[in-house]
Amino acid sequence: EGQTTQFVVMNNVLRSAPGDEPHAVYDLKGTTEDRWVDPQLGVVLKDLNFANKMIGIADPRQRDELQETLRQDARFLRQCNIMDYSICLGVHYCADDAHPSREASSVSSKLAVLSGFEPKFQCTMMRDQPAQRVVYYIGVIDILQRFDLSKVVAHIAKSCSLGLIHEIDTVPPAHYARRFKAMVAAQVQTYREPTDRTGRLVQRLQACIHSGAIQPPTLAPSDAPRALTIGLARAAGEDVTVDEAVDFAVRY
């Protein structure tokens, strides 16, 4: 009696039409402490499982709008002294060239369900490169944890131990928000344009390989120097594809 109770009512971000359910679900915080799980059916994956992937949005305007919305969410939660929140990301892999209709979802936010692409080689997302059409289901979850005394004590303890080798999750809200926004900026990407430095490098490499000016690298035997080897399960001496050569060059 006389006590005020507050409720938080949220959409089910992963709700979808039959057949459009997410094939993979990730919980992304931008930390590395305890952020790997063994991939199994029905398991929610974490940051280190997503380390070589990106949220590929084809439309730059949608990309910018999604990034800004997530930045605003992080600023609001920081002002409320909240930390430990994360992005819940569902990924539905489309079976054909068509994306499922957005109208099939009952989620109210227009940015909660977005059509996108998951590139075959994750270092960059270039036009005309191999990519899988996907639908992303996106929401911010775990938004009720305040940075209270127990979290302050955990922050001090972890900073002197796990914090020496990992990005720990128990940090003050301002630090947590900065790291979260940096993760969003890095993971939410669109196609790189020809004026982009990485894009120009990729174009030059492809042109040189196609013209024969540069020979595509081959996998070296196991007892040979590893300066130009690529970690693919293939027989030694077998040619790699142009896309694999470009991916190797950009990464290393």
Side-chain angles (χ1 to χ4, degrees):
E1 184 178 348
Q3 186 177 18
T4 300
T5 302
Q6 296 178 323
F7 293 91
V8 176
V9 180
M10 301 178 65
N11 281 308
N12 179 356
V13 177
L14 302 180
R15 183 174 181 179
S16 55
D20 294 340
E21 300 88 351
H23 295 100
V25 177
Y26 296 88
D27 181 294
L28 305 177
K29 291 185 176 183
T31 68
T32 59
E33 176 203 350
D34 192 27
R35 301 305 290 170
W36 168 268
V37 297
D38 291 329
Q40 298 177 15
L41 187 64
V43 170
V44 176
L45 305 173
K46 298 185 179 181
D47 293 77
L48 294 179
N49 299 100
F50 197 73
N52 68 334
K53 297 181 181 296
M54 65 176 67
I55 303 174
I57 307 298
D59 186 343
R61 289 172 298 181
Q62 277 192 336
R63 183 272 317 270
D64 293 344
E65 192 174 356
L66 176 61
Q67 288 184 337
E68 178 58 26
T69 299
L70 292 172
R71 284 194 294 266
Q72 290 177 2
D73 287 345
R75 284 195 291 268
F76 172 76
L77 293 170
R78 180 196 65 200
Q79 293 167 0
C80 296
N81 201 37
I82 300 293
M83 41 77 69
D84 211 26
Y85 47 90
S86 57
I87 292 176
C88 178
L89 176 71
V91 184
H92 170 82
Y93 294 96
C94 302
D96 50 33
D97 287 339
H99 284 114
S101 171
R102 286 191 73 257
E103 284 70 20
S105 171
S106 63
V107 178
S108 60
S109 172
K110 66 177 182 179
L111 294 175
V113 183
L114 292 176
S115 299
F117 297 85
E118 183 175 291
K120 182 177 180 181
F121 303 108
Q122 304 297 335
C123 65
T124 187
M125 187 175 174
M126 290 293 298
R127 294 190 185 278
D128 301 323
Q129 295 296 305
Q132 169 73 52
R133 289 181 181 269
V134 299
V135 173
Y136 295 114
Y137 300 89
I138 305 172
V140 178
I141 59 172
D142 298 338
I143 58 171
L144 300 179
Q145 179 59 60
R146 292 185 177 275
F147 192 63
D148 54 18
L149 180 60
S150 65
K151 292 298 181 181
V152 172
V153 172
H155 169 65
I156 296 172
K158 289 184 178 181
S159 296
C160 300
S161 54
L162 289 173
L164 300 176
I165 57 175
H166 284 292
E167 277 284 349
I168 59 175
D169 54 2
T170 312
V171 295
H175 182 172
Y176 197 98
R178 284 196 302 271
R179 186 174 60 194
F180 183 84
K181 288 185 286 187
M183 182 264 291
V184 168
Q187 299 287 15
V188 180
Q189 296 292 328
T190 187
Y191 289 113
R192 294 188 182 273
E193 300 300 328
T195 54
D196 184 284
R197 244 174 61 179
T198 305
R200 292 198 303 271
L201 170 62
V202 169
Q203 288 185 333
R204 288 199 298 271
L205 284 169
Q206 288 180 323
C208 289
I209 291 173
H210 282 301
S211 67
I214 296 178
Q215 292 298 318
T218 57
L219 297 177
S222 58
D223 57 349
R226 298 187 57 80
L228 200 60
T229 60
I230 301 177
L232 302 173
R234 295 189 184 174
E238 183 177 348
D239 285 346
V240 299
T241 67
V242 171
D243 288 324
E244 290 164 346
V246 169
D247 182 63
F248 174 77
V250 175
R251 281 179 185 272
Y252 302 103

